[in-house]
């Protein structure tokens, strides 16, 4: 099997989700640290425009979005499973809620003025401004963000509901963590990192105990890798997808081989352009080529992403 290369940065919540899944599945992986804000030239040369964190590289295949990355890791190492029967569908729906509704409530709470001041306390003043401007461009006015007071109410309610799930079991759906646990953990993990806002977790001791169980999973033993090494791997490898569903599902009237763009629906609106080489029940695959990386395939989940035929 080709090496798993995770492009991430240490304080990225969604990266923590994937790092823990890698640890749970005991998969070896290489760690490439990327900038938290633009510019990201080494990221863009591999993904063609997608700049959200993290993405997973396997040879010349780039897997975008943690929902799709989780599916790839499940294929590579089915045990322990992320999608236990008979709650397979429920685990995915809970994960989708956690990655969206719970995440944005938590981050609005986490980065309220006192939280943001602590996060950037050791950085130069321009760093906070640059971060805010960068994240503003990623949403481009299409998102309704919770105000801190509204986020407080929502986050407290969500934490209480999570706590109720641990009354009679150690994880959200049973005796072992599933995809819902990894998705719900990462925004709370970020809360716990910030002293000035972490006290909200103390209102739900059951959640704190569950977080300790999740933290204990660990990240495994990642190996440091550079962006240049990752780019060299892509250039020396031919794309070979590990996604198992291959039947073309045409919901857009766009034929395979067409020039298309893919972008996220609401956050991280930068487009990736390429030739559509797969459009299955679960994912899109675009083929791209450039001198620096050769030919790569960039993969996106269908849910949460917009496919359009390229103009011109």
């Amino acid at each position: 099997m080709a090496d798993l290369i995770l492009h991430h940065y240490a304080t990225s919540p969604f990266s923590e989700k994937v790092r823990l899944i890698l640890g749970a599945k005991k998969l070896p992986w290489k760690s490439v640290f990327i900038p938290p804000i633009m510019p990201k030239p080494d990221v863009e040369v591999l993904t063609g425009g997608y700049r959200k964190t993290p993405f997973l590289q396997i040879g010349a295949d780039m897997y975008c979005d943690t929902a799709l990355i989780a599916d790839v890791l499940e294929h590579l190492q089915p045990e322990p499973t992320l999608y236990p029967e008979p709650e397979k569908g429920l685990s995915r729906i809970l994960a989708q809620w956690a990655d969206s509704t719970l995440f944005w409530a938590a981050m609005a709470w986490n980065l309220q003025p006192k939280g943001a001041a602590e996060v950037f306390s050791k950085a130069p003043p321009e760093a906070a401004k640059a971060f805010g401007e960068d994240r503003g461009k990623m949403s481009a006015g299409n998102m309704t963000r919770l105000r801190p007071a509204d986020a407080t109410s929502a986050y407290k309610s969500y934490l209480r509901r999570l706590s109720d799930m641990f009354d009679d079991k150690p994880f959200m759906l049973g005796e072992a963590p599933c995809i819902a646990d990894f998705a719900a953990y990462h925004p709370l993990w970020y809360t716990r990192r910030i002293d000035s806002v972490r006290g909200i977790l103390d209102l739900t001791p059951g959640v704190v105990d569950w977080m300790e169980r999740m933290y204990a999973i660990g990240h495994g033993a990642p190996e440091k890798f550079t962006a240049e090494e990752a780019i060299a791997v892509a250039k020396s490898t031919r794309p070979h997808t590990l996604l198992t569903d291959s039947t073309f599902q045409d919901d857009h009237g766009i034929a395979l081989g067409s020039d298309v763009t893919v972008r996220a629906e609401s956050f991280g609106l930068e487009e990736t352009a390429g030739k559509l080489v797969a459009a299955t029940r679960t994912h899109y695959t675009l083929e791209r080529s450039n001198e620096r990386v050769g030919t790569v395939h960039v993969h996106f989940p269908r849910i949460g992403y917009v496919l359009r035929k390229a103009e011109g």
Side-chain angles (χ1 to χ4, degrees):
M1 180 185 73
D3 291 332
L4 305 179
I5 305 171
L6 186 68
H7 297 253
H8 66 122
Y9 59 89
T11 59
S12 161
F14 277 96
S15 297
E16 181 65 10
K17 174 186 173 183
V18 177
R19 292 187 292 249
L20 275 186
I21 293 174
L22 288 163
K25 289 184 172 292
K26 296 180 170 56
L27 286 165
W29 57 286
K30 296 183 184 297
S31 170
V32 175
F33 282 110
I34 63 177
I37 64 172
M38 295 293 272
K40 300 183 180 185
D42 294 329
V43 169
E44 292 183 292
V45 77
L46 288 167
T47 66
Y50 181 87
R51 46 77 53 100
K52 293 198 290 184
T53 306
F55 71 94
L56 178 70
Q57 176 185 351
I58 305 177
D61 288 88
M62 313 299 150
Y63 297 94
C64 303
D65 195 278
T66 60
L68 186 61
I69 292 171
D71 285 347
V72 171
L73 297 180
E74 180 80 355
H75 173 75
L76 289 172
Q77 179 58 270
E79 298 297 335
T81 183
L82 297 173
Y83 312 106
E85 297 289 0
E87 291 90 3
K88 183 177 181 179
L90 177 59
S91 69
R92 287 185 181 274
I93 289 171
L94 284 171
Q96 188 176 0
W97 165 81
D99 281 341
S100 53
T101 304
L102 175 63
F103 175 81
W104 288 114
M107 294 308 288
W109 165 263
N110 295 337
L111 296 178
Q112 61 182 284
K114 63 181 179 181
E118 181 179 336
V119 167
F120 294 102
S121 62
K122 297 181 180 179
E126 59 270 19
K129 181 181 178 182
F131 183 87
E133 290 176 349
D134 181 82
R135 293 308 187 260
K137 291 176 182 177
M138 291 182 75
S139 56
N142 289 346
M143 291 180 58
T144 300
R145 295 181 180 274
L146 289 173
R147 297 173 300 173
D150 296 324
T152 301
S153 300
Y155 199 18
K156 285 179 178 178
S157 292
Y158 297 149
L159 290 171
R160 288 194 298 269
R161 294 172 188 178
L162 286 172
S163 184
D164 288 342
M165 301 182 76
F166 308 126
D167 285 346
D168 59 352
K169 52 187 177 296
F171 297 100
M172 289 178 69
L173 295 181
E175 296 301 313
C178 67
I179 189 62
D181 291 277
F182 293 102
Y185 175 77
H186 68 89
L188 279 61
W189 165 84
Y190 198 87
T191 302
R192 206 172 192 182
R193 296 181 62 257
I194 307 172
D195 290 339
S196 59
V197 302
R198 64 182 299 177
I200 196 171
L201 300 172
D202 296 334
L203 302 173
T204 49
V207 169
V208 174
D209 292 342
W210 164 76
M211 291 183 70
E212 289 294 333
R213 293 189 287 273
M214 293 297 296
Y215 175 81
I217 293 170
H219 301 160
E223 177 186 340
K224 290 183 179 179
F225 213 55
T226 68
E228 284 300 329
E229 288 174 315
I231 289 168
V233 167
K235 190 165 187 178
S236 65
T237 311
R238 297 186 64 180
H240 178 70
T241 182
L242 294 174
L243 300 168
T244 55
D245 59 326
S246 58
T247 302
F248 178 46
Q249 179 171 311
D250 182 12
D251 294 334
H252 299 80
I254 300 176
L256 293 180
S258 299
D259 291 330
V260 299
T261 62
V262 173
R263 67 163 177 82
E265 288 178 350
S266 60
F267 186 72
L269 303 179
E270 294 82 2
E271 294 180 337
T272 292
K275 181 186 296 184
L276 184 67
V277 294
T280 76
R281 178 177 57 84
T282 62
H283 73 279
Y284 305 118
T285 299
L286 274 57
E287 183 173 281
R288 294 179 46 80
S289 298
N290 65 63
E291 183 177 351
R292 194 173 172 205
V293 300
T295 298
V296 299
H297 282 180
V298 188
H299 308 273
F300 301 89
R302 272 189 182 257
I303 293 176
Y305 288 79
V306 177
L307 173 70
R308 288 195 174 98
K309 196 165 185 176
E311 298 179 0

